[in-house]
Amino acid sequence: MRIHAKFYRLIFTGLMALLMSLIISAALILLKNGWTSDFFTNLLHSWTTAFVVAWPAAYICAYVIQEHVLSRIEFHRDE
């Protein structure tokens, strides 16, 4: 699969937000309600809402960290 490099940050943050919102939503539902018969229904509803918030937040945070934090650090390789 070939995708232009300009979409790297968008794809990376999208996949990261997808997985992180799933994990956090599942954990919070399990902590709050435990395992119930409505677990997957609650998870899908919660996951959708969490992802809508998580993707833009991850995209903005990735931009800020890459452009304003990591750009100020000088990385080197020990050879």
Side-chain angles (χ1 to χ4, degrees):
M1 178 184 302
R2 289 177 48 105
I3 299 175
H4 197 280
K6 69 180 179 181
F7 296 115
Y8 175 84
R9 186 181 295 152
L10 187 67
I11 293 169
F12 175 78
T13 57
L15 292 173
M16 182 65 79
L18 188 71
L19 292 174
M20 293 301 293
S21 61
L22 171 66
I23 293 166
I24 293 169
S25 294
L28 290 175
I29 291 170
L30 285 172
L31 287 172
K32 182 179 177 187
N33 300 335
W35 186 263
T36 64
S37 60
D38 295 334
F39 175 77
F40 289 107
T41 304
N42 292 338
L43 178 61
L44 288 177
H45 176 71
S46 174
W47 187 17
T48 304
T49 305
F51 180 68
V52 167
V53 173
W55 195 355
Y59 190 80
I60 292 167
C61 289
Y63 171 76
V64 169
I65 290 169
Q66 287 175 345
E67 297 297 322
H68 299 290
V69 176
L70 294 179
S71 64
R72 298 175 194 271
I73 299 173
E74 183 178 330
F75 293 98
H76 66 89
R77 295 184 188 268
D78 293 331
E79 296 177 351

